[in-house]
Amino acid sequence: MTLLRSYVQDRWHTPAAAGSAIHDAVTGEEIAQVSSTGVDMAAALHHARTVGGPELRALSFHHRAGLLADLASYLRGHREELYAISARTGATLYDSKYDIDGGIRVLQAYAGMALRELPDGDEGLVYAEGPQENLSRDGSFLGGHICTPRRGTAVQINAYNFPVWAPLEKLAPALLAGVPSLVKPATQTCYLTSRLIELIVESGLLPPGSLSYVCGSAGDLLDHVTEQDLVSFTGSAATAERLRTHPVVVRQAVRFNAEADSVNCSVLGPDATPGTPEFDLYVGQLVTEMTVKAGQKCTAIRRALVPAELMDAVSEAAAARLAEVVVGNPADPTVRMGALASLGQREEVRRSVKTLLDSAHLVSGDLGRVDARGADPERGAFLTPLLLRCDDPGATAPHEVEAFGPVSTLIPYTSPDHAVFLAAQGRGSLAGSVVTGDPAFARQVVLGLAPWHGRVLALDTESAKASTGHGSPLPALIHGGPGRAGGGEEMGGIRGVLHHMQRTAVQGGPGMLASVTGRSAK
Ligand code: NAP
């Protein structure tokens, strides 16, 4: 029996007793047991704050950027090993690259942004933000803003669907800010994150105390957070609500960021009729979003908003493409879509789809039966892609229920304002897209979607070739969304670094401010 370990106080901790078993998503075989029993959460946080914090703050921004770049190179050299473990989560090689290479690219991108946008040398310990304001007639009294690293630990709680990308996209901005990280992966797929953390520790690149890892339940972790700590959570809205209202988090006003679930939409323009390139782009993107990572992407398209008169055409075109998707063992190169992360997850998705089916019907896929190439469909967590059609745009379930798998629902709209209205029924989303060749339609819909979204893609033939697509969060752009999506913001370039720092208004004379900020008055 393999017992996964935690890494706290710069030591590996092996649980004293067996924990909960986690299984291979493809074969059902037990992979390991997980337990955080015996981890002293208070001591882990204290060690990170008192050892990791000072170690990181002793380095300039550019030095920290160098660590990220070196870490990216090191992990790049171990990708094959990570891909092999990733396949056990049900991921195809394409999915694994999305997670693993995607995570490594975040480290590299942050290293580059820090070298370009953050100061070096003595200035590297404080970030002077924005222009200074003259607060006096004679220019002898000024005000400005500085950002300094918070003296706590960044507690990073992740969802199960991106076991590599998620910890790396949270680690990079925290480390650049000079704040140590404590990573808590979701239990279902933590065996992959465990190997990632082992690799990082083995690399010897990060300073002592700058990385901790709690594998298994978070236990009483949040009872020990303090005013200077941060909690960055990714997962379901229900867990986000529970953690955000944790008495200690509330009492100490702990900075809390949530990336939660989201019923994302993609809007097809009325100009994009069958035969136009935008029609094909729309259908292709919908199928991609449903099948990459078996639809287990927080940004995946859950609602396809289609002009009423194009519902039949989109439904037929998408169903035809989905029928070609081979589901099965990701080790088989002909397989396009692997398994969900666990049998429990498959049950959860089936339950959600049953609710959706109260106001919709299936146009592609079979909820109960699946042919899994090269695998046993009962032992592995396989599911066919499920495209639903709801002809009543006023039904509530398609706007409320997130079936976290290869599931999407076609919904008709009758005007641009109606499309915007329906998009907002998701109560706040991570990502939206508009596919059209008509810039005026795109403007109307994008501006209508924007207050309800963290990111919106306007897709046409001009950008199609280079576009990263509806579902890909990028380190330079904000990832997050209002309302149901958690109300948080991650990444977004250097903004993500500043989330880990305290912004302070500083007032004084030009000489004093120049000394404090390390830059001369402007
Ligand atoms: P989840 O059940 O909410 O769990 C998320 C994380 O919270 C896990 O690490 C979980 O640990 C931990 N957790 C649960 N209870 C906790 C507690 N009392 N104290 C501290 N930590 C606790 O979500 P999931 O099933 O892993 O992920 C699926 C959901 O995440 C979907 O709804 C999806 O939309 C959302 N998601 C959002 C984003 C985004 O960026 N917005 C990205 C990916 C996924 P255990 O696993 O050990 O319970």
Side-chain angles (χ1 to χ4, degrees):
M1 176 184 61
T2 306
L3 270 177
L4 294 179
R5 300 174 297 172
S6 292
Y7 186 73
V8 287
Q9 299 174 271
D10 289 311
R11 287 191 300 275
W12 287 105
H13 168 90
T14 306
S20 42
I22 39 177
H23 298 95
D24 189 308
V26 179
T27 63
E29 185 190 334
E30 181 176 313
I31 294 179
Q33 298 218 352
V34 185
S35 167
S36 59
T37 311
V39 173
D40 183 338
M41 303 291 176
L45 286 168
H46 180 74
H47 180 81
R49 281 183 214 118
T50 54
V51 177
E55 287 275 349
L56 285 171
R57 293 196 299 273
L59 309 174
S60 71
F61 286 120
H62 285 205
H63 195 140
R64 294 175 211 149
L67 295 182
L68 288 183
D70 291 346
L71 189 57
S73 306
Y74 182 82
L75 293 176
R76 189 169 287 286
H78 291 80
R79 277 180 305 173
E80 297 297 332
E81 183 189 350
L82 292 172
Y83 294 157
I85 303 171
S86 174
R88 305 193 78 180
T89 69
T92 62
L93 183 58
Y94 182 88
D95 297 337
S96 298
K97 288 185 174 181
Y98 202 97
D99 183 30
I100 295 160
D101 295 38
I104 293 170
R105 273 198 296 274
V106 174
L107 299 181
Q108 283 173 318
Y110 262 103
M113 285 188 281
L115 293 177
R116 286 193 303 277
E117 297 177 45
L118 294 176
D120 195 23
D122 286 345
E123 287 182 69
L125 302 173
V126 55
Y127 178 75
E129 187 188 47
Q132 288 183 354
E133 297 291 332
N134 186 358
L135 303 175
S136 59
R137 277 207 191 132
D138 62 358
S140 64
F141 186 57
L142 309 174
H145 291 89
I146 58 169
C147 298
T148 51
R150 290 172 77 96
R151 297 308 203 247
T153 300
V155 174
Q156 301 162 356
I157 302 175
N158 290 310
Y160 70 85
N161 57 338
F162 284 106
V164 174
W165 177 83
L168 294 183
E169 65 93 12
K170 286 188 171 68
L171 174 75
L175 191 133
L176 273 182
V179 176
S181 296
L182 185 150
V183 176
K184 150 78 185 101
T187 296
Q188 285 186 73
T189 54
C190 65
Y191 47 94
L192 176 51
T193 313
S194 285
R195 186 58 196 137
L196 171 77
I197 300 293
E198 280 173 4
L199 286 169
I200 296 176
V201 172
E202 284 162 22
S203 77
L205 287 165
L206 299 192
S210 57
L211 178 68
S212 312
Y213 177 62
V214 172
C215 187
S217 156
D220 64 355
L221 178 64
L222 292 194
D223 291 346
H224 305 289
V225 293
T226 65
E227 302 84 354
Q228 289 284 315
D229 296 322
L230 308 94
V231 177
S232 307
F233 168 81
T234 301
S236 63
T239 312
E241 187 179 332
R242 212 166 52 246
L243 302 193
R244 156 191 333 272
T245 53
H246 186 288
V248 177
V249 171
V250 173
R251 195 180 321 126
Q252 319 255 41
V254 175
R255 194 174 283 183
F256 185 89
N257 191 76
E259 301 288 336
D261 54 37
S262 178
V263 191
N264 311 291
C265 70
S266 179
V267 182
L268 176 68
D271 58 297
T273 52
T276 61
E278 283 80 13
F279 181 88
D280 293 338
L281 283 173
Y282 185 83
V283 172
Q285 175 170 266
L286 176 61
V287 171
T288 300
E289 289 295 317
M290 287 178 68
T291 52
V292 171
K293 293 279 301 174
Q296 300 168 109
K297 261 167 58 246
C298 50
T299 50
I301 299 169
R302 304 289 172 208
R303 296 176 295 155
L305 302 182
V306 172
E309 65 280 10
L310 296 179
M311 282 287 278
D312 288 343
V314 172
S315 166
E316 282 160 26
R321 289 214 197 184
L322 288 168
E324 291 167 8
V325 172
V326 177
V327 178
N329 189 334
D332 182 330
T334 63
V335 163
R336 164 105 175 266
M337 193 175 95
L340 301 186
S342 67
L343 289 174
Q345 214 52 50
R346 180 169 70 177
E347 274 326 293
E348 178 89 28
V349 173
R350 282 180 169 154
R351 260 198 305 278
S352 300
V353 173
K354 280 181 188 151
T355 306
L356 289 170
L357 285 172
D358 287 342
S359 52
H361 62 273
L362 267 175
V363 296
S364 178
D366 187 325
L367 189 55
R369 214 187 67 81
V370 55
D371 290 324
R373 185 173 290 176
D376 179 340
E378 289 316 308
R379 293 181 65 80
F382 298 98
L383 201 60
T384 58
L386 298 162
L387 183 63
L388 285 73
R389 173 172 175 160
C390 172
D391 286 302
D392 173 11
T396 51
H399 305 290
E400 285 182 358
V401 176
E402 183 204 42
F404 202 61
V407 184
S408 198
T409 304
L410 301 170
I411 303 168
Y413 73 84
T414 50
S415 68
D417 284 345
H418 189 213
V420 167
F421 170 80
L422 292 177
Q425 299 314 298
R427 315 305 308 168
S429 299
L430 293 168
S433 58
V434 185
V435 187
T436 177
D438 177 354
F441 176 82
R443 176 183 157 84
Q444 189 174 356
V445 174
V446 170
L447 295 185
L449 259 55
W452 292 98
H453 285 76
R455 179 168 60 80
V456 183
L457 163 71
L459 183 63
D460 67 357
T461 51
E462 184 183 35
S463 64
K465 208 158 159 229
S467 169
T468 47
H470 170 104
S472 301
L474 298 174
L477 301 181
I478 284 169
H479 176 58
R484 178 179 178 157
E489 263 189 30
E490 279 182 344
M491 301 195 295
I494 295 306
R495 294 175 191 87
V497 179
L498 302 184
H499 292 156
H500 294 81
M501 305 178 84
Q502 179 61 41
R503 179 176 295 111
T504 307
V506 185
Q507 296 169 289
M512 283 295 179
L513 287 197
S515 171
V516 169
T517 62
R519 75 182 193 193
S520 53
K522 294 198 175 105

